[in-house]
Amino acid sequence: MKILIKYYAKYRDSTGKKEEILEVDEMNVRELLGFLRNRYPKLSGDKTSLIALNNRFGKEEVQLSDGDTVSVFPPVSGG
Amino acid sequence: MVLEKYLSQIAVKEIFPEGQKRIESSSVVVIGMGGTGSSIAEILVRMGVQKITIVDNDTIEASNLNRQSLYMESDIGLKKVDVAKEQLVRMNESVAVNAIDQKLNFLNAEEILAGGDIIMDGTDNYSARNVINTTAFRLRKSWIFSAVEGTYGYVKAIIPGRTSCLSCFGYPDKGEAISCTVQGVIPSAVKAISSIAATTAIKVLIKNEQNGDLIYFDSWKPSLEVMPIPKNEKCKVCGVVSETQIS
Ligand SMILES: [Zn+2]
């Protein structure tokens, strides 16, 4: 299935992309993050990342469906 | 109310007329008086907040001055809360400032947060935000999360019982500050995030705002995204299970 992945903030540098469409197997949101971290090791610089599925933050156990949009954000800490 | 001071904001329909009274009668607690905390405090005090508690145990450094506008060159080496208190009163003589020269932790948080109608996050690390998130939920206090680095940042209202909290979407709960001089941040991004945070606070105070969406803003691109964060029933802070344990 095809998933649109959007990268935000410093993750655009980490991946060299603003967005991309990836062909992936059946998996949930958490597994997709693992897949992306393998593909772009710089994403693993953060212990965790914030992930929205179809512009909504929610459970990481949700299974992805063909045509979903996944947005990946870094967990900003500064102030 | 000294009407003249606030004429321009009262003319805004979102504030007029009851909003200004609510702003002036609100008690605000600002945790951290660095980039975001000092900017948020300035906006709220200039708008008429008359009771503010500021909490920080840092001293002013030269590297703060590009974005922390309460502090001047001659203040380097002085305590942030002392200088901030003096400046805030100079901005608005109606304000009473409670300056607390402490770092927020689980031991002092309950007493500090209990005094606020709303808590503003001016911290720079995950651990401190976890203290705010956990304690504010226990006290049923609303708070505004804000964080910034590089050219971008986040703001979210966290209203116990109504919105999701900081733990609901996997925001880390451990980790100390990485210095802004290492991590990097542009002053305009700090100001932009602080402005969004102050506006969000005003909405919670005067309009009983119940929206807990995550606001992401990048001042360089520029871009703004607003994304819903549903409550997570398994959240270890506000989830059904932990709520039962508390009560
Ligand atoms: Zn929660």
Side-chain angles (χ1 to χ4, degrees), chain A residues 8 55 57 73-78, chain B residues 124 126 129 148 154 171 225 228 230:
Chain A
Y8 287 87
N55 294 321
F57 286 91
F73 294 79
V76 174
S77 74
Chain B
D124 59 2
Y126 301 130
R129 291 197 181 91
V148 59
Y154 301 118
Y171 188 82
E225 313 240 349

